[in-house]
Amino acid sequence: MSGNDKFEGFIPDMMKEMTKILGIEFSINVVKDARYGLCNNGNCTGMIGEILRGEAELAIADLTVAPKRVLTVDFTQPFMTGGVTVLVNNPDPNLNTLEDLLEHGYSFLCVGGGSTENFLKSSRVSIHEKIANSLETITNFNEGFERVLKSGEKIAVLAELSTAKYHASEHCSLKIIGEPLNSVGYGIAMAKGIAVRTNEGVFEVRTLLDHAILQMRYDSTLELLQSKWWPKKC
C-alpha cells in the first residue's frame, strides 16, 4: 500500500469523513521524532514543532489541548475526551488501585517530552507526585507497551485512555488500573490564525474544522467510529 492507504484507525477514518464534509484532500505523514510536542526557549519538538516550522498544516492525534500549547498553536474543539491511564499486564487480582501498584513496587513508564510527563511533574496531587518519583521516560508508547506485555517486570505504562482501551481489548491479559488521572480533550492543532477562502467567504481553518467535528458529532459519525475501533473483546 502507498500514501494514505498505509494507515488505518480512528484518526484516518475521521479524516476521510471530514473530507466529505469540507471537500478537501489530505496527505498523512508520521511525525519525524515520534513526539506530540513541547516548546522550550523557542525550540519546539514533535507535531507542535512541525506545525510551527511549516512542515505540516495540521496535527491530528490524541493530542491534548494543554495550557502551554494553546499559547503556541490554535486548536479545534475536542473531537474526543480522555485522560491519562495506567496499563499493566497480568496484575495480581488484589491490585486494583494506583496505591496498590506503588505499594507492590511498580515503576511507571511514560513517553518523554509530552503533556503526560509535564502533567505528572507539575501536579500537586499526592498520588501523581508519587508516580512522578518512580517515572522512567521512554521514546514512544510502543516501547513501553512491549516491555509491559513481554518483560515480566513490575512496570506499568502510562497512556491516553483511547490507546489503553484499544490495547486492553486486543490483549486480554492487560488491565487498566484505577480511574484516569485527569480529564482532557483531544483537538486538531494548526498554526495560529490561518484562514482560507471558500465559495461562502473567508474562514479561519479552525472554524471549518469545528464545523466538521460538530457535524460528525450530531450525525453520530464519531460515536460509530469509536464503536468500530474500540470494540469490547475481553
Side-chain angles (χ1 to χ4, degrees):
M1 294 184 178
S2 61
N4 294 339
D5 292 335
K6 293 186 295 185
F7 304 95
E8 66 174 7
F10 176 85
I11 293 293
D13 280 1
M14 183 181 76
M15 293 173 70
K16 290 175 184 176
E17 294 298 326
M18 293 177 71
T19 65
K20 297 176 185 177
I21 297 169
L22 299 176
I24 60 174
E25 296 181 355
F26 65 91
S27 175
I28 300 175
N29 296 290
V30 178
V31 60
K32 298 179 185 67
D33 64 4
R35 294 178 181 272
Y36 290 90
L38 289 175
C39 294
N40 185 24
N41 295 324
N43 296 316
C44 299
T45 61
M47 288 181 276
I48 300 299
E50 292 195 10
I51 289 291
L52 294 177
R53 292 189 297 272
E55 298 168 13
E57 293 175 296
L58 302 174
I60 309 183
D62 52 345
L63 183 64
T64 303
V65 184
K68 288 184 178 180
R69 287 179 179 155
V70 299
L71 297 176
T72 307
V73 295
D74 278 344
F75 278 95
T76 63
Q77 63 178 274
F79 58 82
M80 185 186 293
T81 57
V84 178
T85 56
V86 175
L87 194 63
V88 298
N89 188 37
N90 283 318
D92 184 288
N94 297 319
L95 299 180
N96 297 304
T97 67
L98 298 177
E99 289 83 356
D100 292 339
L101 295 182
L102 288 164
E103 288 177 6
H104 284 77
Y106 274 73
S107 58
F108 298 82
L109 305 177
C110 170
V111 176
S115 61
T116 298
E117 180 187 14
N118 185 60
F119 155 69
L120 286 170
K121 291 187 175 179
S122 62
S123 176
R124 291 175 289 178
V125 176
S126 176
I127 189 67
H128 299 169
E129 292 177 338
K130 291 177 181 178
I131 292 174
N133 289 334
S134 61
L135 194 64
E136 177 186 342
T137 58
I138 50 180
T139 303
N140 56 65
F141 172 77
N142 286 337
E143 176 188 337
F145 169 69
E146 292 296 325
R147 281 182 59 182
V148 166
L149 192 62
K150 299 177 181 179
S151 71
E153 302 172 73
K154 281 190 173 183
I155 53 175
V157 63
L158 295 165
E160 297 289 351
L161 179 61
S162 56
T163 302
K165 286 172 63 178
Y166 174 79
H167 287 288
S169 71
E170 292 291 312
H171 302 272
C172 294
S173 63
L174 297 175
K175 180 180 178 182
I176 296 172
I177 300 295
E179 296 296 320
L181 303 182
N182 61 353
S183 179
V184 298
Y186 308 138
I188 300 172
M190 71 215 77
K192 281 193 170 294
I194 57 173
V196 293
R197 182 177 297 278
T198 73
N199 293 332
E200 298 180 3
V202 177
F203 292 93
E204 283 196 350
V205 171
R206 177 173 58 179
T207 300
L208 295 174
L209 295 175
D210 279 343
H211 162 70
I213 291 169
L214 279 171
Q215 181 64 49
M216 290 187 292
R217 185 174 292 135
Y218 282 151
D219 64 17
S220 298
T221 296
L222 292 178
E223 182 181 351
L224 292 171
L225 289 179
Q226 288 187 44
S227 297
K228 172 184 176 181
W229 288 105
W230 285 276
K232 295 180 180 180
K233 298 180 181 179
C234 298

